[in-house]
Amino acid sequence: MKISYNWLKQFIDIDWDAEKTGELLTDLGLEIEGIDTYQSVKGGLEGIVIGHVLTCEQHSNADKLKVTTVDIGAEAPVQIVCGAPNVAAGQKVPVATIGTTLYTEEGEAWKIKKGKIRGEESHGMICAEDELGLGKSHDGIMILDDALVPGTPAAQVFEIENDQVFEIGLTPNRADAMSHWGVARDLKAGLLQKEINKGLITPSTSSFKIEKRVHKIDVDVLDSEKAPRYAGVVISGLKVEDSPEWLQHRLKAIGLSPINNIVDATNYVLHELGQPLHAFDLSKITGEKIEVRTLEAGTKFTTLDGVERELHEDDLMICDAEKPMCIAGVFGGLHSGVSENTNAIFLESAYFNPVAVRKTAKRHGLNTDASFRFERGIDPNITEYALTRAAILIMEIAGGEITSEIVDIYPKKIEDQQVFLNFDNTTKLIGQELPREVIKEILMSLDIKINNVTESGIGMTIPAFRNDVTREADVIEEILRVYGYNNISFGNKLNATVSSTSKFDDHRVSDVVGNQLAAQGFYEMMANSLTTPAYTALSENLKEAYNVEMLNPLGKELSVMRQSMLFSGLEAISYNINRRRSDLKLFEFGKTYHNYPGERKEDKHLALFVTGNRTDESWANTSAPTNFFYLKGVVTALLEKLNIARLRSASVKNDLFSEAVGLSLGKQEVVTYGIVKKSVLKKFDISQEVYFADFNWDAVLEIAARNKVVFKEIPKYPAVRRDFALLLDTKVQFEEIETIAKQTEKKLLKDVNLFDVYEGKNLPEGKKSYAVSFLLQDENKTLTDKNIDKVMNKLQQRFEKELGATLR
């Protein structure tokens, strides 16, 4: 938000420099992000002086050039070569002296230098108005008042506006400061704490009067919930033209382009008082009637920018007896606004429901100065005051007179908030006891009305324009920011408590897992929990009815809470691939949200994403693509790190995966991992395979906490490995082999591993070969060949009987 310092000084008489004032505003919570300089004429006419043309002779070597001598107030006249057709002796003219910087219409700078033009020396330049930025004419040089004294700086002759503009990073809760008046109110309170008592200069409306009552506009507010207050008045006999220069300078300083005196006046009051206004051409209001209401969904309406929009059934509209004229609080209509032929207007001032305006603005992708303020909540009590203020200003700069009564429909007054402030709570939150008189002084300087003061606290009325101050804590925050955070003292004593926490606390386990993943080359990502409802259509397991919807979404793409961790990860992968980073290992700790019938559920997850090559290409090794078994190894390593074992493994059928495995303990699902389906990847424009693992983090924490770490000695006796090459049906899985082996020999068998798979020629159809290793060990003695052969024979018999296996 931009605030003009010159404009601000109209409300509070302050002679501080802009930097010092900016520091105080920042201390008050209105953070100054920068201070820019505004000049109505770029360069401020620095180096431009009044000159008196003493002589003017024809250039000897150029028909269109004149050689002049000009008195510029220096010790001696200077010679200047000039090409203007209207230059003549005796004139008073603006002269750009040597070293002066001038600017083109595009803003490019160029410097006046001493030089020779066709053999004649030239020590400056006699200027036209466009060369100085004082107009657009280039027909000839400017001829000035003959009474001017040579050498007088041109900046003293022409009215040059020099201003400094604050860029305030306004937080959404500070709706009260969305105007020069609001900033001045805060500045007054801050100055008072520095023992500088400055009153606010309030724009007067005492000159407002109704000249005639020849127009009567009937106003019917059909939706008072969306439009709690609506006011308006008719001004007739005005003339639409350019605004006076002072008004144009005020608007240009804060980045607005002047349009005409009527529109500029409404914009001026908007930025002056924070009250949006709108002017309708009276001749375009059919039936002399205003209706504030909603229309049927799908109604077409063309806004001021020429775009035809389709209205929503909840969009509040300003209509006449036949047609819509304006989207209330957001944007005007193309066919009802002020034009150069307008001679009478209906001037509107209203308070619209912030939520309704916000939803409408977001639906249509519109963000205007008016909607910016209505969305955050303006002061409902200045509606009529701002209307009369704007009417007076319009009549001052456009003529005309008031020709109707003020219509002000306000059926249910918005009440001020009643809050009680406890002195003890104030001291506790601030950390320092403030004098009670100081507290009262601060509250009153913020226009907070004190109703009563007791030994324990203060009863007060919070004005409606402070819609962010509704609780005792809010009042204490107001006291603290005005008193000054820098003025709170700190003691030398530091108190701390030692807390006993479990090593299985969420953050501790997360750190352990995160560090292990980072060591394996993974990067942590943090995605938005808000997502688009369109993703629910990608899986039958995700139901649209289970979406947790946002009440006031920023847009449709961020209108629901995510039901799955997968899609936000795929968005990140797609983003990186599009920037030529295709080898990715990502992990995220996050939550999913479901609105189940009868309950809302929030679950924490750990999601792993792997795609592209497993390692970078180097001289020592070629890059190898990531595969399913790499992800399986990462998942297994994490579970082993947390001492989670003996999980049941099973194939999972899920329409998000082409192949997937689930690990569970009892009925509790712990992790699902697999290959993401290509049809899902296509929606994200991803052509390479993506491997995804989804840990139920709440289950992981629960299982890890109840598992006890058991220590045992390293066996003294060696382990023995034996291998089988098994010919099996293609439908047999390694999991079946592992299960049968561990059931057959529970004491000596320590590990089963699949180290080779072969499918191809020289094998019968429907068969495959598995090379499986078995690790045997007796912790109390050395195994003999007899012991080993006995175990291997039992295994062979079980495989042959239950799996139909044969040894190759």
Side-chain angles (χ1 to χ4, degrees):
M1 184 183 72
K2 295 183 183 295
I3 293 293
S4 155
Y5 198 21
N6 287 349
W7 198 343
L8 193 63
K9 290 177 181 177
Q10 291 181 201
F11 299 105
I12 186 166
D13 184 16
I14 183 172
D15 57 2
W16 285 7
D17 59 54
E19 287 76 15
K20 187 176 180 181
T21 301
E23 289 175 4
L24 178 55
L25 289 174
T26 298
D27 289 343
L28 289 166
L30 303 178
E31 183 181 358
I32 303 301
E33 296 178 341
I35 302 177
D36 297 323
T37 299
Y38 168 79
Q39 293 177 315
S40 58
V41 175
K42 193 164 186 179
L45 298 183
E46 186 175 348
I48 312 296
V49 298
I50 304 303
H52 181 200
V53 182
L54 302 177
T55 64
C56 180
E57 304 291 341
Q58 182 66 44
H59 195 294
S60 58
N61 295 321
D63 294 339
K64 294 184 178 181
L65 297 178
K66 304 284 178 62
V67 179
T68 66
T69 55
V70 184
D71 177 9
I72 59 172
E75 292 182 0
V78 296
Q79 179 174 294
I80 298 177
V81 177
C82 180
N86 62 333
V87 64
Q91 294 172 338
K92 297 290 176 66
V93 293
V95 177
T97 57
I98 301 298
T100 298
T101 299
L102 296 179
Y103 297 88
T104 65
E105 190 174 346
E106 292 76 25
E108 296 180 5
W110 58 287
K111 187 173 285 190
I112 301 295
K113 300 178 180 178
K114 176 184 175 181
K116 280 190 176 182
I117 301 177
R118 294 290 185 92
E120 295 286 350
E121 288 189 358
S122 184
H123 298 262
M125 175 179 169
I126 304 174
C127 301
E129 64 177 39
D130 67 328
E131 293 165 333
L132 298 178
L134 295 171
K136 297 183 179 180
S137 173
H138 195 71
D139 294 336
I141 59 169
M142 294 183 72
I143 310 299
L144 305 178
D145 190 340
D146 195 50
L148 295 174
V149 177
T152 303
Q156 296 179 11
V157 176
F158 300 97
E159 294 183 5
I160 306 300
E161 178 84 3
N162 291 297
D163 198 357
Q164 289 172 293
V165 181
F166 299 111
E167 182 68 46
I168 297 180
L170 193 68
T171 53
N173 64 310
R174 290 303 308 277
D176 61 298
M178 295 186 298
S179 65
H180 288 75
W181 169 253
V183 173
R185 182 168 47 213
D186 255 25
L187 187 57
K188 178 198 73 170
L191 289 170
L192 193 60
Q193 291 307 300
K194 297 184 179 295
E195 298 183 350
I196 302 174
N197 192 353
K198 295 285 185 180
L200 289 187
I201 305 167
T202 308
S204 174
T205 58
S206 60
S207 61
F208 179 87
K209 62 178 180 178
I210 301 171
E211 298 288 346
K212 301 174 183 176
R213 291 173 172 80
V214 295
H215 291 104
K216 186 177 185 300
I217 300 294
D218 291 326
V219 177
D220 190 5
V221 178
L222 301 179
D223 193 333
S224 59
E225 184 179 343
K226 290 186 175 68
R229 188 173 189 182
Y230 190 89
V233 71
V234 175
I235 306 174
S236 304
L238 48 79
K239 183 179 181 182
V240 178
E241 55 189 5
D242 288 341
S243 298
E245 287 190 2
W246 70 265
L247 178 52
Q248 292 193 39
H249 292 329
R250 286 285 180 265
L251 298 180
K252 287 178 180 178
I254 59 173
L256 296 182
S257 299
I259 298 173
N260 59 54
N261 50 2
I262 308 302
V263 175
D264 293 349
T266 60
N267 284 334
Y268 181 88
V269 174
L270 180 148
H271 289 276
E272 177 186 56
L273 301 176
Q275 170 67 56
L277 303 117
H278 190 74
F280 297 95
D281 188 325
L282 187 65
S283 65
K284 297 174 183 177
I285 301 177
T286 304
E288 293 190 336
K289 184 175 184 179
I290 296 287
E291 289 186 351
V292 184
R293 62 190 179 95
T294 56
L295 299 174
E296 290 183 4
T299 302
K300 305 291 186 182
F301 178 68
T302 304
T303 46
L304 274 172
D305 54 2
V307 177
E308 185 179 73
R309 303 179 187 276
E310 193 171 290
L311 299 179
H312 187 273
E313 58 188 8
D314 290 330
D315 292 339
L316 187 67
M317 303 296 295
I318 311 300
C319 309
D320 61 17
E322 295 180 355
K323 62 185 181 300
M325 299 189 296
C326 175
I327 303 177
V330 180
F331 213 18
L334 182 63
H335 305 298
S336 62
V338 173
S339 69
E340 59 185 11
N341 299 318
T342 300
N343 56 27
I345 62 170
F346 176 75
L347 184 63
E348 167 197 278
S349 177
Y351 176 86
F352 297 119
N353 183 286
V355 174
V357 172
R358 186 184 307 118
K359 287 183 176 180
T360 295
K362 298 302 179 189
R363 270 194 292 267
H364 296 289
L366 293 169
N367 182 23
T368 62
D369 285 340
S371 68
F372 178 83
R373 285 158 177 79
F374 278 126
E375 286 178 32
R376 286 156 178 79
I378 62 171
D379 183 0
N381 294 323
I382 65 165
T383 305
E384 184 177 351
Y385 169 68
L387 180 69
T388 56
R389 163 67 177 147
I392 292 169
L393 180 59
I394 288 172
M395 289 187 290
E396 286 178 0
I397 63 177
E401 57 185 359
I402 306 297
T403 57
S404 79
E405 295 282 359
I406 290 179
V407 178
D408 187 6
I409 299 176
Y410 195 15
K412 186 177 180 182
K413 189 176 186 299
I414 296 174
E415 298 295 335
D416 296 335
Q417 191 79 22
Q418 305 296 319
V419 176
F420 182 81
L421 175 69
N422 184 283
F423 290 131
D424 290 340
N425 290 342
T426 304
T427 301
K428 187 185 301 181
L429 283 180
I430 292 177
Q432 177 179 317
E433 185 174 2
L434 303 185
R436 295 183 180 184
E437 287 303 316
V438 170
I439 292 175
K440 289 165 57 179
E441 182 182 74
I442 291 173
L443 294 175
M444 289 188 291
S445 69
L446 293 172
D447 291 348
I448 294 175
K449 181 183 177 183
I450 294 177
N451 300 324
N452 56 76
V453 180
T454 66
E455 191 62 30
S456 61
I458 301 175
M460 67 198 79
T461 300
I462 311 297
F465 65 80
R466 289 310 306 268
N467 54 28
D468 61 319
V469 181
T470 59
R471 306 166 302 162
E472 180 186 50
D474 300 328
V475 177
I476 295 172
E477 182 183 1
E478 290 297 294
I479 294 168
L480 183 54
R481 74 176 181 85
V482 175
Y483 183 77
Y485 292 95
N486 296 333
N487 295 324
I488 301 299
S489 60
F490 293 88
N492 295 324
K493 184 179 178 182
L494 179 64
N495 296 324
T497 58
V498 178
S499 60
S500 175
T501 59
S502 167
K503 67 178 181 180
F504 296 107
D505 281 354
D506 189 348
H507 70 281
R508 291 196 170 197
V509 180
S510 298
D511 285 345
V512 169
V513 169
N515 288 335
Q516 176 158 324
L517 289 169
Q520 292 179 282
F522 280 76
Y523 287 90
E524 184 172 9
M525 60 173 280
M526 287 181 284
N528 198 337
S529 294
L530 297 175
T531 188
T532 172
Y535 288 156
T536 56
L538 299 180
S539 172
E540 293 180 359
N541 297 323
L542 306 177
K543 307 293 184 184
E544 186 177 353
Y546 295 165
N547 278 332
V548 178
E549 298 180 351
M550 304 302 294
L551 289 176
N552 300 304
L554 295 173
K556 191 173 182 180
E557 295 75 16
L558 299 172
S559 61
V560 299
M561 305 293 280
R562 63 183 173 187
Q563 291 191 45
S564 171
M565 299 287 291
L566 175 62
F567 306 119
S568 52
L570 294 180
E571 287 176 347
I573 289 172
S574 177
Y575 182 89
N576 279 275
I577 289 175
N578 289 337
R579 285 152 185 80
R580 306 189 69 177
R581 291 181 59 88
S582 56
D583 302 333
L584 301 167
K585 299 176 187 176
L586 306 173
F587 74 95
E588 180 188 7
F589 289 101
K591 293 183 178 181
T592 58
Y593 308 85
H594 294 82
N595 186 17
Y596 293 124
E599 69 165 339
R600 291 188 175 184
K601 198 170 181 202
E602 182 178 313
D603 298 311
K604 188 168 183 180
H605 297 256
L606 166 63
L608 308 183
F609 300 89
V610 182
T611 187
N613 291 322
R614 189 186 314 177
T615 57
D616 294 333
E617 188 177 13
S618 72
W619 66 271
N621 60 280
T622 57
S623 59
T626 298
N627 56 35
F628 176 85
F629 297 101
Y630 173 73
L631 179 63
K632 177 184 177 183
V634 173
V635 170
T636 303
L638 287 180
L639 294 173
E640 288 178 352
K641 182 74 173 179
L642 300 175
N643 193 34
I644 299 176
R646 297 187 297 277
L647 297 179
R648 184 174 60 85
S649 175
S651 296
V652 172
K653 289 189 176 180
N654 187 313
D655 56 4
L656 294 174
F657 295 97
S658 56
E659 292 182 49
V661 172
L663 301 179
S664 58
L665 184 63
K667 294 184 179 180
Q668 196 169 38
E669 187 178 278
V670 179
V671 57
T672 302
Y673 60 95
I675 309 170
V676 181
K677 220 170 191 178
K678 288 185 178 180
S679 59
V680 176
L681 297 178
K682 189 176 180 180
K683 298 291 184 180
F684 295 85
D685 198 25
I686 299 172
S687 57
Q688 62 192 55
E689 285 193 331
V690 176
Y691 302 89
F692 170 59
D694 185 9
F695 287 80
N696 179 344
W697 191 247
D698 295 320
V700 168
L701 292 176
E702 181 185 336
I703 296 169
R706 68 174 183 243
N707 278 351
K708 292 183 179 181
V709 178
V710 179
F711 296 92
K712 59 183 179 179
E713 292 184 6
I714 297 174
K716 298 177 182 179
Y717 303 97
V720 176
R721 170 175 161 167
R722 291 288 185 268
D723 299 340
F724 274 165
L726 299 172
L727 188 65
L728 302 156
D729 291 339
T730 54
K731 65 180 181 180
V732 175
Q733 300 292 318
F734 170 70
E735 180 187 1
E736 297 176 67
I737 298 173
E738 184 180 33
T739 301
I740 291 172
K742 289 182 177 180
Q743 288 174 350
T744 303
E745 179 53 56
K746 298 180 180 179
K747 181 181 178 183
L748 300 181
L749 185 62
K750 302 301 181 185
D751 189 32
V752 182
N753 182 48
L754 176 67
F755 64 89
D756 186 47
V757 177
Y758 176 73
E759 292 179 280
K761 63 181 180 178
N762 300 326
L763 290 182
E765 187 176 349
K767 297 290 185 178
K768 64 182 175 181
S769 176
Y770 271 7
V772 184
S773 66
F774 302 88
L775 194 67
L776 304 173
Q777 187 178 40
D778 192 327
E779 298 175 3
N780 301 311
K781 62 182 179 180
T782 301
L783 288 172
T784 64
D785 288 340
K786 184 178 180 181
N787 300 136
I788 297 169
D789 291 341
K790 183 179 179 182
V791 172
M792 299 306 295
N793 288 332
K794 284 197 296 182
L795 292 175
Q796 180 182 344
Q797 292 171 12
R798 287 287 300 274
F799 294 151
E800 290 174 348
K801 180 180 179 182
E802 298 184 26
L803 301 178
T806 58
L807 294 182
R808 292 187 66 196

